[in-house]
Amino acid sequence: MSIKKKLISSLLPILMPVLLGGCVSDAASGAPAVLDTEEETADLISIGFSQLGAESDWRSANTQSMLESFTEEYGYSMIYENGQQKQSYQITALRSFIQQEVDYIALAPVTESGWDGVLQEAKDAGIPVILVDRRVDSDKSLYTCWLGSDFELESRKLCEWLDSYVNAKGMSSSDINIIHIQGTMGSTAQIGRSRGLANSAREKGWNILGQMSGDFTQTKGREVTAAYLKRFLDVNVVYCENDNEAIGAIEAIEAAGKTAGPDIDKGDILVLSFDGTAEGAKELAKEGKIAAIAECNPLHGPKVRALIEAIEAGESVEKFNYVDERIFSSLPEVSEVYVEGVLYPVEDVE
Ligand code: GYE
């Protein structure tokens, strides 16, 4: 039995009710005519997708994009596993994909370290691994390619926006007191967004009062912000590493009787965010409660499919593939930011 047929056969008990819906019985034996369907589905390319979790709106959009892009219509069968933010679950998922002899593995890794062993197993089995969103710190020979965002660039754009905004408000850098709500520690998004802020704060002379992980969730974003607001009375900026943390931070600011808003010269607390995916965050940005958002594009599915199509066609693909991203704000003070000689217009929140 071929690799793909083996996989399809293992899926047959699940697919059976669906297949039988439009199926007639084999006249001679009375058995359902599954074999024809098996032959047809045997041509599908099988992908095991290990998603890291469901912690944020960005993640849900990313999962949906992947599931929609690897359907039978496009010639694929996808096995999807949610790792629930636990690397051990993701490693188990990868091992089960290897055992099922899938054609490709797509891995969105929760953190960067600890993947060498299982990636070596995939390599030994001859299964190409495509990293999606976050990276791993393993040797580059252990995966085929990566597709995702430049997280430090996102951060630098947002920090340049803050610098220009502070100047436009006639304030001095030393007046800026930031609390920094980090993402999942050790994830590529956290590492890049934290590094960007640390470097900019040093260059510009901003004060970082405290930094702690909010794990990219609304609940932790709220809890961490609430704790910091009790400890520091002079906070005027909350730098959140994603939309959900920013929504939680604003809840904490308002619960503490303070105002999230753009007028930091008049006592507002200015909230910054990444993603621009959560509808709630976009609404808050339209109201100015989130002052600016560095976009992080979650729609990876079609791009990963294009990479696989290129590999299938025997073409070589780039090792690192970046998606284009913008910066959003509804405030009029800053219309563009420059980073490394590139101009990014500040766009209205969509
Ligand atoms: O920004 C955040 C999510 O890795 C880019 O993970 C991703 C980040 C995204 O939970 O919302």
Side-chain angles (χ1 to χ4, degrees):
M1 193 187 272
S2 80
I3 293 170
K4 284 176 196 164
K5 280 197 177 166
K6 227 194 228 171
L7 171 86
I8 296 305
S9 302
S10 72
L11 288 175
L12 273 181
I14 304 161
L15 292 175
M16 198 75 95
V18 181
L19 297 175
L20 289 180
C23 228
V24 285
S25 313
D26 179 313
S29 65
V34 163
L35 274 183
D36 286 350
T37 317
E38 183 176 349
E39 271 158 25
E40 274 169 32
T41 49
D43 294 332
L44 298 176
I45 296 173
S46 58
I47 320 254
F49 174 39
S50 169
Q51 176 61 285
L52 65 92
E55 74 287 359
S56 64
D57 289 65
W58 189 99
R59 188 66 48 204
S60 305
N62 183 248
T63 301
Q64 199 184 337
S65 170
M66 289 292 283
L67 292 177
E68 284 171 2
S69 302
F70 291 98
T71 58
E72 284 191 17
E73 280 103 332
Y74 289 115
Y76 296 92
S77 71
M78 173 169 271
I79 312 169
Y80 163 72
E81 292 289 347
N82 175 348
Q84 296 175 44
Q85 298 254 61
K86 291 192 176 64
Q87 184 178 42
S88 58
Y89 290 4
Q90 291 203 274
I91 291 176
T92 303
L94 258 57
R95 295 212 164 110
S96 92
F97 298 154
I98 295 169
Q99 218 167 19
Q100 293 176 75
E101 300 180 14
V102 297
D103 298 315
Y104 290 86
I105 289 174
L107 167 65
V110 61
T111 48
E112 292 198 346
S113 62
W115 297 99
D116 296 4
V118 73
L119 290 181
Q120 186 65 56
E121 289 167 35
K123 189 175 182 188
D124 293 345
I127 302 173
V129 175
I130 297 177
L131 300 176
V132 182
D133 168 23
R134 302 179 185 171
R135 298 195 191 194
V136 297
D137 63 8
S138 305
D139 190 86
K140 292 184 186 60
S141 65
L142 293 180
Y143 54 89
T144 305
C145 57
W146 164 88
L147 176 116
S149 308
D150 185 334
F151 301 110
E152 194 170 341
L153 175 62
E154 291 174 350
S155 169
R156 294 195 56 197
K157 287 191 273 189
L158 198 57
C159 289
E160 285 308 317
W161 182 92
L162 178 61
D163 188 45
S164 301
Y165 188 78
V166 167
N167 290 337
K169 283 274 172 190
M171 294 174 75
S172 136
S173 296
S174 58
D175 297 332
I176 300 305
N177 299 320
I178 302 174
I179 56 174
H180 174 190
I181 317 297
Q182 296 172 287
T184 301
M185 297 309 289
S187 68
T188 314
Q190 177 272 317
I191 293 169
R193 291 170 187 169
S194 294
R195 190 187 292 136
L197 176 63
N199 289 339
S200 297
R202 196 174 334 101
E203 278 167 30
K204 317 285 185 198
W206 302 327
N207 308 306
I208 298 187
L209 302 178
Q211 54 182 24
M212 206 184 281
S213 176
D215 220 5
F216 287 127
T217 65
Q218 184 168 337
T219 308
K220 286 218 179 136
R222 181 175 59 237
E223 288 169 5
V224 173
T225 307
Y228 274 137
L229 290 177
K230 279 192 197 136
R231 195 159 136 209
F232 302 109
L233 297 177
D234 51 352
V235 175
N236 52 16
V237 174
V238 185
Y239 176 98
C240 300
E241 290 190 3
N242 81 341
D243 282 343
N244 298 81
E245 291 181 347
I247 295 170
I250 291 168
E251 287 170 353
I253 291 167
E254 293 179 347
K258 302 186 183 227
T259 320
D263 295 323
I264 37 174
D265 48 341
K266 300 193 184 88
D268 282 356
I269 299 181
L270 183 145
V271 176
L272 298 172
S273 177
F274 292 84
D275 289 350
T277 308
E279 282 308 321
K282 290 197 230 172
E283 284 310 312
L284 289 165
K286 284 181 194 158
E287 294 168 36
K289 290 190 180 185
I290 296 178
I293 304 178
E295 184 191 27
C296 184
N297 184 345
L299 305 180
H300 292 160
K303 299 182 178 87
V304 175
R305 195 177 62 221
L307 285 169
I308 290 180
E309 278 165 10
I311 297 168
E312 286 287 305
E315 293 163 21
S316 64
V317 295
E318 293 288 333
K319 196 85 189 178
F320 297 103
N321 301 273
Y322 291 92
V323 295
D324 290 334
E325 293 172 332
R326 299 165 289 173
I327 174 162
F328 301 119
S329 172
S330 60
L331 307 175
E333 284 83 354
V334 184
S335 56
E336 59 196 27
V337 293
Y338 280 99
V339 177
E340 284 168 12
V342 179
L343 181 143
Y344 299 90
V346 177
E347 298 182 32
D348 271 338
V349 186
E350 287 165 349

